[in-house]
């Protein structure tokens, strides 16, 4: 890109930013209004004194434990289902699975159709956020645990399928071709020839998504599921900022713990 | 197994890799495929085992056209052919045992596949051990493939093809990475097995002496065309040298 085109682009981006600000009615003065400042000061001030005793004098520990357990459970259950969705769809969406079969036109057409359909389904699953899925299933199932699990599993399954199938498409094809030459079926070729070549990449991405699922699972609490987010929003609505911070720190600790765990696993297996 | 190419051509975007090749290989024949780099040896072997589609002409295996088979028949046909790719086609992250076991995928249902991969039966392990003994690396049974030398990996690929119990063996430069004495031993093994089990054997290699000594028939490829196709006793060293001559004007 030459310098004058770069300048045009920068100018355009600046104008677009200003335009958006006007359209949204952004007013920088709201940031420094006394009332706003007081709320901000209260809230962030409380971050230095999180509490383990609730306003009514009871211990917060039972709520912390149940929140933690629910957050981890929803994330784990949602991810388990997402891995099933992700594995199945990423197989169908991998461009190589039918391509290697050198049989007739009919099978090639069938393969291309199935792959295109799988990719469309993946896009649909991903394009709706887990909070929206949760609201949808809340309407259908009510505040049942299945609401949270499915709401997580659908978008996470779609994302896993998309990224996994891209990783698999990039995998070296020589082992897969050798297995096809030995008469392997598409599923065998996929499992024995492609997946082992990139297993470490698939696993590390899965782990990363699990960390994301923990955060999403916590956020689902804002809709009333019993995860950490539920306690965060409850205490926040009651202006009990010190309790809010306790739950936020617990959530932070949970994410860090998973991060450490995955890095230990990574080291042990010699992953990059 | 009987192979037949009828006016077969393979065109890649930039090059005609095989140009109107016709040949037939009878069941139980042992043929060496020779020719300089880029002559089309890999492409020709690919046509015969169904990994490459001809852009023109037909490929017949046991008198049936490969391109017209159902997926099931194609798999069954490919199961009967052992193939040793030039790049080995191994899974470096898996053990030797699993790589050799993969030779039988075509005969396994999903449960058998899983079992071979995770916990192969004692009989399977014994059989794989025997196969590895024949290629001289039985002590590597439980090693990860990426810890082996290039020559050892090549022998794993040969073992996988043998373990498949095929009716024909197609090997693409199966001795490119081993020392001369091991090269003789490996090709000798393929040739002996072919005679013993009445396999059709097609091996691409560059060694004149070995080719003449162990194969009754030589096919010389150059620039996608068959330069000679004759009993090895009729292929003189000068014909062979001509084939590899860099500045020979193609007739
Ligand atoms: N997948 C491909 N796409 C494009 N061109 C190809 C492809 N495979 C082979 N070719 C070209 O076709 C020609 C024949 O290649 P081939 O691999 O069959 O030669 P070869 O005789 O096996 O050579 P070598 O001894 O180096 O293995 C070469 O010019 C090569 O560049
Ligand atoms: Mg080659």
């Amino acid at each position: 890109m030459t310098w004058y085109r770069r300048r045009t682009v920068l100018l355009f981006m600046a104008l677009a930013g200003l335009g958006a600000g006007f359209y949204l009615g952004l007013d920088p003065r709201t940031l420094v209004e006394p009332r706003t400042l007081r709320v901000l000061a209260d809230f962030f001030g409380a971050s230095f004194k999180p509490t383990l005793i609730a306003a009514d004098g009871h211990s917060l520990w039972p709520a912390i434990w149940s929140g933690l357990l629910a957050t981890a459970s929803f994330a784990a259950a949602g991810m388990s289902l997402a891995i099933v969705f992700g594995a199945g769809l990423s197989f169908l969406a991998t461009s190589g699975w039918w391509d290697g079969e050198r049989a007739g036109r009919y099978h090639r057409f069938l393969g291309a159709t199935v792959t295109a359909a799988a990719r469309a389904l993946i896009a649909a699953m991903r394009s709706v956020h887990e909070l929206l899925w949760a609201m949808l299933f809340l309407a259908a199932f009510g505040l049942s645990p299945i609401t949270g699990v499915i709401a997580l599993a659908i978008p996470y399954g779609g994302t896993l399928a998309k990224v996994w199938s891209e990783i698999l498409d990039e995998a070296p094809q020589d082992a897969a071709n050798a297995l096809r030459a030995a008469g392997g079926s598409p599923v065998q070729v996929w499992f024995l020839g492609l997946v082992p070549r990139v297993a470490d990449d698939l696993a590390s991405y899965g782990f990363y998504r699990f960390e994301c699922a923990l955060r999403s699972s916590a956020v689902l609490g804002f809709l009333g599921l019993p995860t950490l987010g539920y306690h965060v929003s409850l205490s926040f609505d009651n202006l009990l900022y010190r309790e809010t911070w306790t739950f936020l720190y617990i959530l932070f600790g949970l994410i860090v713990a998973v991060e450490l765990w995955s890095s230990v696993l990574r080291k042990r297996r010699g992953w990059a | 197994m009987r192979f037949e190419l009828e006016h077969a051509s393979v065109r890649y975007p930039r090059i005609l890799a095989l140009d109107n090749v016709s040949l037939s290989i009878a069941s139980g024949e042992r043929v060496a495929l020779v020719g300089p780099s880029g002559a089309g040896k890999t492409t020709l072997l690919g046509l015969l085992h169904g990994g490459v589609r001809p852009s023109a002409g037909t490929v017949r295996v046991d008198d049936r056209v490969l391109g017209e088979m159902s997926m099931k028949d194609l798999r069954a046909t490919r199961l009967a052919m052992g193939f040793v790719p030039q790049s080995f086609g191994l899974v470096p992250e898996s053990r030797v045992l699993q790589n050799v076991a993969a030779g039988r995928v075509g005969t396994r249902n999903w449960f058998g596949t899983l079992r071979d991969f995770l916990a192969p039966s004692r009989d399977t392990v014994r059989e794989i051990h025997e196969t590895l003994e024949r290629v001289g690396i039985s002590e590597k049974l439980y090693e990860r493939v990426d810890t082996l030398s290039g020559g050892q990996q090549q022998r794993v690929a040969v073992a996988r093809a043998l373990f498949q119990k095929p009716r024909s063996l197609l090997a693409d430069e199966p001795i490119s990475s081993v020392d001369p004495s091991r090269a003789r031993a490996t090709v000798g093994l393929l040739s002996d097995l072919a005679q013993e089990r009445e396999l059709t054997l097609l091996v691409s290699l560059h060694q004149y002496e070995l080719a003449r000594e162990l194969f009754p028939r030589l096919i010389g490829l150059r620039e996608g065309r068959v330069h000679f196709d004759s009993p090895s006793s009729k292929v003189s060293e000068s014909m062979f040298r001509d084939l590899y001559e860099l500045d020979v004007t193609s007739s």
Side-chain angles (χ1 to χ4, degrees):
Chain A
M1 203 189 287
T2 44
W3 63 270
Y4 56 89
R5 281 189 39 213
R6 196 175 311 156
R7 207 160 63 175
T8 319
V9 169
L10 282 178
L11 192 67
F12 181 77
M13 278 166 59
L15 283 177
L18 280 176
F22 278 117
Y23 175 73
L24 296 172
L26 285 186
D27 184 350
R29 275 168 306 177
T30 49
L31 282 177
V32 291
E33 263 174 24
R35 203 178 52 84
T36 321
L37 284 180
R38 209 170 47 245
V39 171
L40 283 176
D42 280 355
F43 182 69
F44 286 105
S47 74
F48 295 108
K49 32 190 180 177
T51 177
L52 287 171
I53 309 294
D56 59 7
H58 284 90
S59 168
L60 271 184
W61 279 112
I64 290 172
W65 283 120
S66 80
L68 262 178
L69 204 62
T71 305
S73 305
F74 274 109
M79 272 305 278
S80 304
L81 198 57
I83 286 171
V84 174
F85 292 166
L89 282 171
S90 70
F91 166 70
L92 295 175
T94 306
S95 49
W97 75 268
W98 49 273
D99 177 339
E101 294 294 343
R102 310 289 152 159
R105 226 172 264 270
Y106 166 71
H107 282 108
R108 270 180 290 154
F109 174 74
L110 198 69
T113 313
V114 170
T115 297
R119 288 187 180 165
L121 181 59
I122 289 170
M125 288 163 76
R126 274 162 37 81
S127 61
V128 176
H129 193 270
E130 55 265 25
L131 276 177
L132 289 182
W133 284 117
M135 274 154 70
L136 196 75
F137 291 120
L138 216 52
F141 303 128
L143 210 52
S144 132
I146 201 137
T147 301
V149 172
I150 297 188
L152 277 177
I154 291 177
Y156 276 72
T159 307
L160 281 178
K162 180 182 157 64
V163 175
W164 278 353
S165 70
E166 281 166 6
I167 293 175
L168 288 162
D169 274 342
E170 301 279 310
Q173 298 288 321
D174 51 345
N177 285 332
L179 286 168
R180 280 189 199 106
S185 69
V187 177
Q188 287 172 325
V189 168
W190 193 77
F191 264 114
L192 299 181
L194 279 181
V195 172
R197 307 289 328 250
V198 287
D200 291 353
D201 291 338
L202 300 178
S204 4
Y205 186 71
F207 248 107
Y208 167 68
R209 290 309 293 174
F210 181 60
E211 287 170 36
C212 301
L214 280 173
R215 247 168 299 148
S216 296
S217 159
V219 169
L220 285 182
F222 283 84
L223 296 182
L225 292 165
T227 64
L228 284 171
Y230 173 73
H231 301 285
V232 169
S233 79
L234 203 64
S235 57
F236 190 82
D237 289 346
N238 292 317
L239 307 181
L240 301 167
Y241 296 150
R242 292 177 61 193
E243 289 180 27
T244 309
W245 279 100
T246 307
F247 290 111
L248 287 177
Y249 284 132
I250 293 290
L251 177 59
F252 177 71
L254 179 63
I255 304 269
V256 169
V258 170
E259 171 86 52
L260 285 178
W261 176 38
S262 81
S263 82
V264 166
L265 277 187
R266 243 188 286 263
K267 277 220 193 72
R268 195 175 302 163
R269 294 234 20 209
W271 293 344
Chain B
M1 259 184 146
R2 204 166 32 250
F3 295 94
E4 196 177 355
L5 291 183
E6 213 175 75
H7 303 295
S9 298
V10 175
R11 178 178 295 283
Y12 289 119
R14 309 188 58 123
I15 198 167
L16 192 58
L18 280 184
D19 184 5
N20 195 13
V21 173
S22 297
L23 55 84
S24 74
I25 298 171
S27 189
E29 241 189 315
R30 283 171 294 133
V31 182
L33 192 59
V34 295
S37 192
K41 303 182 295 298
T42 300
T43 309
L44 197 152
L45 288 167
L47 274 183
L48 295 181
H49 77 71
V52 175
R53 294 173 83 86
S55 351
T58 45
V59 184
R60 286 204 187 80
V61 176
D62 285 341
D63 297 321
R64 298 184 56 199
V65 177
L66 269 191
E68 290 170 3
M69 286 185 187
S70 70
M71 211 137 100
K72 193 162 156 252
D73 288 355
L74 181 67
R75 278 222 292 281
T77 306
R78 299 185 92 183
L79 175 60
M81 302 189 235
F83 179 54
V84 183
Q86 191 166 7
S87 56
F88 316 153
L90 301 171
V91 179
E93 297 84 0
S94 300
R95 294 168 200 271
V96 169
L97 178 73
Q98 279 137 5
N99 272 282
V100 177
R104 296 249 174 103
V105 278
T107 64
R108 295 284 197 262
N109 59 16
W110 67 266
F111 176 74
T113 307
L114 213 61
R115 169 134 205 228
D116 276 355
F117 192 71
L118 299 174
S121 73
R122 198 170 296 169
D123 284 347
T124 308
V125 175
R126 191 173 37 75
E127 215 178 319
I128 290 175
H129 189 264
E130 282 166 12
T131 313
L132 287 171
E133 242 162 19
R134 298 203 76 157
V135 295
I137 47 165
S138 56
E139 76 281 4
K140 303 289 185 190
L141 185 61
Y142 290 106
E143 308 273 308
R144 260 175 71 135
V145 165
D146 53 11
T147 66
L148 304 187
S149 76
Q152 290 166 339
Q153 294 189 13
Q154 200 155 34
R155 283 180 274 159
V156 175
V158 172
R160 180 182 57 194
L162 298 181
F163 184 65
Q164 199 176 322
K165 286 229 177 88
R167 287 191 289 125
S168 67
L169 261 176
L170 309 178
D172 198 358
E173 303 195 26
I175 51 172
S176 57
S177 309
V178 296
D179 61 73
S181 67
R182 177 50 69 183
R184 172 170 294 270
T186 302
V187 182
L189 169 67
L190 294 180
S191 174
D192 289 349
L193 277 172
Q195 278 169 284
E196 184 185 305
R197 300 185 188 166
E198 298 179 339
L199 311 178
T200 312
L201 180 65
L202 183 58
V203 177
S204 76
L205 38 62
H206 295 290
Q207 291 81 348
Y208 175 68
E209 297 294 336
L210 267 186
R212 254 188 67 123
E213 184 185 329
L214 293 170
F215 296 86
R217 177 178 166 194
L218 298 191
I219 297 178
L221 270 187
R222 191 185 166 98
E223 290 173 356
R225 283 189 219 121
V226 176
H227 229 62
F228 57 74
D229 179 356
S230 43
S232 42
S233 54
K234 298 235 173 72
V235 178
S236 67
E237 194 158 3
S238 71
M239 279 165 76
F240 191 82
R241 224 179 297 114
D242 275 356
L243 188 70
Y244 280 85
E245 199 65 52
L246 284 178
D247 55 357
V248 116
T249 47
S250 41
S251 46

